[in-house]
Amino acid sequence: MRNFNENTITDAVLERIAGATDQRIKQVSEALVRHLHAFVREVRPTQKEWEYGIDFLTRTGHMCDDKRQEFILLSDALGVSMLVDAINHPVPEGATETTVLGPFFVQASPEKDNGADISGPKEGDPMLVTGSVSTVDGRPLAGAVVDVWHSDDDGYYDVQQLDKIGDLAMRARFHTDQNGRFNFWSIKPAAYPIPHDGTVGDMLAVQGRHPWRPAHVHFMISAPGFEQLVTHVFVAGDQYLDSDVVFGVKDSLIREFVRCPPGRAPDGRMVDSEYYHLNYDFGLKQVASNARAA
Ligand SMILES: [Fe+2]
């Protein structure tokens, strides 16, 4: 076949990939071609606009390295990350809702004991975080791995300022105790704009959007036999809760970071200044095969 035109090119491409032996590859490829061609027919880009699109994606790729993931930001800012999350994580009663991973997770997070202060060299309003991890029916999960990470009070993560602070901070990996509980100290995070000096920032600007996320603490919680939970807890009252640039806010994930006077904190520590206290009790969902066996 040859001499394709606007009306025949889509079927020609679909026909060309009809022989794919992996059915999932075939399904994804066909949908990609149908939707991409439909998009081009609707938008009717000029040659120059097509070149801009190619250049935009090329620049997005060039911005990516082991510290910066512009494609995840693009996915987040277009709502695709939350759509994938919603499709993959229906939440049963008692399980904590999920939200985006975001671009600042670090695989090799430092292991810390419960009660540790993870603020490193950063200063800010002291924050005590206490919490528990349990099954959806309230059975405490001992030994669950709790990864936490958050921004400083200027809205920057450690990986954005390693040249200044020298090492990872405001992130750590804890294990729940025999009662399924964990606790640590840090500083209260602030709202922050996602990195907007790249292609995603350009896109937000021309779309008339701000780049801000409401203040939050990230949690990734794992326990054998349970689905890994990736979520945040947001600071109640933040001005960006209704316009989070990555569409990640859910009511069940908003908590008061309670302002407390100096004195003995709930973990027994004596504190000589005001501090904030966040408590959140997480519920993990069993993996499907486990649920069937149970
Ligand atoms: Fe974040």
PDB file of all heavy atoms in Angstrom, residues 179-191:
ATOM      1  N   ASN A 179       3.793  -2.281  68.102  1.00  0.00           N
ATOM      2  CA  ASN A 179       2.395  -1.822  68.089  1.00  0.00           C
ATOM      3  C   ASN A 179       2.011  -1.168  66.771  1.00  0.00           C
ATOM      4  O   ASN A 179       0.958  -0.533  66.659  1.00  0.00           O
ATOM      5  CB  ASN A 179       2.157  -0.827  69.239  1.00  0.00           C
ATOM      6  CG  ASN A 179       2.415  -1.454  70.593  1.00  0.00           C
ATOM      7  OD1 ASN A 179       1.949  -2.571  70.854  1.00  0.00           O
ATOM      8  ND2 ASN A 179       3.166  -0.772  71.446  1.00  0.00           N
ATOM      9  N   GLY A 180       2.909  -1.301  65.784  1.00  0.00           N
ATOM     10  CA  GLY A 180       2.628  -0.722  64.469  1.00  0.00           C
ATOM     11  C   GLY A 180       2.813   0.784  64.430  1.00  0.00           C
ATOM     12  O   GLY A 180       2.302   1.452  63.528  1.00  0.00           O
ATOM     13  N   ARG A 181       3.553   1.324  65.396  1.00  0.00           N
ATOM     14  CA  ARG A 181       3.664   2.782  65.481  1.00  0.00           C
ATOM     15  C   ARG A 181       5.058   3.270  65.065  1.00  0.00           C
ATOM     16  O   ARG A 181       6.047   2.526  65.133  1.00  0.00           O
ATOM     17  CB  ARG A 181       3.369   3.264  66.913  1.00  0.00           C
ATOM     18  CG  ARG A 181       1.940   2.930  67.373  1.00  0.00           C
ATOM     19  CD  ARG A 181       1.511   3.812  68.534  1.00  0.00           C
ATOM     20  NE  ARG A 181       1.513   5.228  68.172  1.00  0.00           N
ATOM     21  CZ  ARG A 181       0.484   5.843  67.565  1.00  0.00           C
ATOM     22  NH1 ARG A 181      -0.616   5.186  67.272  1.00  0.00           N
ATOM     23  NH2 ARG A 181       0.569   7.115  67.254  1.00  0.00           N
ATOM     24  N   PHE A 182       5.120   4.533  64.629  1.00  0.00           N
ATOM     25  CA  PHE A 182       6.396   5.175  64.320  1.00  0.00           C
ATOM     26  C   PHE A 182       6.301   6.633  64.738  1.00  0.00           C
ATOM     27  O   PHE A 182       5.195   7.170  64.902  1.00  0.00           O
ATOM     28  CB  PHE A 182       6.731   5.066  62.816  1.00  0.00           C
ATOM     29  CG  PHE A 182       5.784   5.830  61.949  1.00  0.00           C
ATOM     30  CD1 PHE A 182       6.050   7.148  61.572  1.00  0.00           C
ATOM     31  CD2 PHE A 182       4.601   5.248  61.506  1.00  0.00           C
ATOM     32  CE1 PHE A 182       5.162   7.868  60.785  1.00  0.00           C
ATOM     33  CE2 PHE A 182       3.698   5.962  60.719  1.00  0.00           C
ATOM     34  CZ  PHE A 182       3.986   7.266  60.357  1.00  0.00           C
ATOM     35  N   ASN A 183       7.451   7.272  64.938  1.00  0.00           N
ATOM     36  CA  ASN A 183       7.446   8.706  65.250  1.00  0.00           C
ATOM     37  C   ASN A 183       8.810   9.306  64.944  1.00  0.00           C
ATOM     38  O   ASN A 183       9.833   8.610  65.018  1.00  0.00           O
ATOM     39  CB  ASN A 183       7.065   8.955  66.712  1.00  0.00           C
ATOM     40  CG  ASN A 183       8.056   8.364  67.684  1.00  0.00           C
ATOM     41  OD1 ASN A 183       8.159   7.147  67.808  1.00  0.00           O
ATOM     42  ND2 ASN A 183       8.820   9.210  68.357  1.00  0.00           N
ATOM     43  N   PHE A 184       8.803  10.561  64.590  1.00  0.00           N
ATOM     44  CA  PHE A 184      10.068  11.255  64.318  1.00  0.00           C
ATOM     45  C   PHE A 184       9.858  12.758  64.425  1.00  0.00           C
ATOM     46  O   PHE A 184       8.718  13.248  64.445  1.00  0.00           O
ATOM     47  CB  PHE A 184      10.607  10.886  62.921  1.00  0.00           C
ATOM     48  CG  PHE A 184       9.746  11.322  61.766  1.00  0.00           C
ATOM     49  CD1 PHE A 184       9.952  12.534  61.126  1.00  0.00           C
ATOM     50  CD2 PHE A 184       8.716  10.504  61.312  1.00  0.00           C
ATOM     51  CE1 PHE A 184       9.156  12.938  60.054  1.00  0.00           C
ATOM     52  CE2 PHE A 184       7.909  10.900  60.237  1.00  0.00           C
ATOM     53  CZ  PHE A 184       8.129  12.108  59.614  1.00  0.00           C
ATOM     54  N   TRP A 185      10.979  13.472  64.497  1.00  0.00           N
ATOM     55  CA  TRP A 185      10.961  14.933  64.511  1.00  0.00           C
ATOM     56  C   TRP A 185      11.555  15.467  63.215  1.00  0.00           C
ATOM     57  O   TRP A 185      12.451  14.856  62.625  1.00  0.00           O
ATOM     58  CB  TRP A 185      11.794  15.475  65.690  1.00  0.00           C
ATOM     59  CG  TRP A 185      11.100  15.329  67.005  1.00  0.00           C
ATOM     60  CD1 TRP A 185      11.136  14.240  67.825  1.00  0.00           C
ATOM     61  CD2 TRP A 185      10.262  16.296  67.640  1.00  0.00           C
ATOM     62  NE1 TRP A 185      10.368  14.468  68.940  1.00  0.00           N
ATOM     63  CE2 TRP A 185       9.819  15.724  68.853  1.00  0.00           C
ATOM     64  CE3 TRP A 185       9.834  17.585  67.304  1.00  0.00           C
ATOM     65  CZ2 TRP A 185       8.976  16.399  69.738  1.00  0.00           C
ATOM     66  CZ3 TRP A 185       9.000  18.259  68.179  1.00  0.00           C
ATOM     67  CH2 TRP A 185       8.579  17.673  69.380  1.00  0.00           C
ATOM     68  N   SER A 186      11.047  16.605  62.783  1.00  0.00           N
ATOM     69  CA  SER A 186      11.645  17.290  61.651  1.00  0.00           C
ATOM     70  C   SER A 186      11.220  18.757  61.712  1.00  0.00           C
ATOM     71  O   SER A 186      10.962  19.257  62.821  1.00  0.00           O
ATOM     72  CB  SER A 186      11.200  16.627  60.325  1.00  0.00           C
ATOM     73  OG  SER A 186      12.019  17.099  59.270  1.00  0.00           O
ATOM     74  N   ILE A 187      11.173  19.431  60.570  1.00  0.00           N
ATOM     75  CA  ILE A 187      10.650  20.802  60.558  1.00  0.00           C
ATOM     76  C   ILE A 187       9.418  20.827  59.660  1.00  0.00           C
ATOM     77  O   ILE A 187       9.283  20.015  58.741  1.00  0.00           O
ATOM     78  CB  ILE A 187      11.697  21.814  60.047  1.00  0.00           C
ATOM     79  CG1 ILE A 187      12.249  21.386  58.676  1.00  0.00           C
ATOM     80  CG2 ILE A 187      12.798  22.015  61.073  1.00  0.00           C
ATOM     81  CD1 ILE A 187      13.085  22.449  58.002  1.00  0.00           C
ATOM     82  N   LYS A 188       8.509  21.768  59.968  1.00  0.00           N
ATOM     83  CA  LYS A 188       7.244  21.820  59.231  1.00  0.00           C
ATOM     84  C   LYS A 188       7.502  22.237  57.778  1.00  0.00           C
ATOM     85  O   LYS A 188       8.198  23.226  57.534  1.00  0.00           O
ATOM     86  CB  LYS A 188       6.321  22.831  59.913  1.00  0.00           C
ATOM     87  CG  LYS A 188       4.912  22.878  59.343  1.00  0.00           C
ATOM     88  CD  LYS A 188       4.007  23.704  60.280  1.00  0.00           C
ATOM     89  CE  LYS A 188       2.615  23.837  59.702  1.00  0.00           C
ATOM     90  NZ  LYS A 188       2.427  25.072  58.953  1.00  0.00           N
ATOM     91  N   PRO A 189       6.980  21.467  56.829  1.00  0.00           N
ATOM     92  CA  PRO A 189       7.202  21.812  55.415  1.00  0.00           C
ATOM     93  C   PRO A 189       6.322  22.979  54.973  1.00  0.00           C
ATOM     94  O   PRO A 189       5.315  23.279  55.608  1.00  0.00           O
ATOM     95  CB  PRO A 189       6.795  20.530  54.677  1.00  0.00           C
ATOM     96  CG  PRO A 189       5.781  19.887  55.565  1.00  0.00           C
ATOM     97  CD  PRO A 189       6.171  20.239  56.982  1.00  0.00           C
ATOM     98  N   ALA A 190       6.722  23.604  53.878  1.00  0.00           N
ATOM     99  CA  ALA A 190       5.948  24.717  53.319  1.00  0.00           C
ATOM    100  C   ALA A 190       5.417  24.323  51.942  1.00  0.00           C
ATOM    101  O   ALA A 190       5.900  23.372  51.309  1.00  0.00           O
ATOM    102  CB  ALA A 190       6.841  25.951  53.181  1.00  0.00           C
ATOM    103  N   ALA A 191       4.413  25.077  51.493  1.00  0.00           N
ATOM    104  CA  ALA A 191       3.954  24.927  50.106  1.00  0.00           C
ATOM    105  C   ALA A 191       5.119  25.248  49.181  1.00  0.00           C
ATOM    106  O   ALA A 191       6.026  25.998  49.559  1.00  0.00           O
ATOM    107  CB  ALA A 191       2.793  25.887  49.838  1.00  0.00           C
TER     108      ALA A 191
END
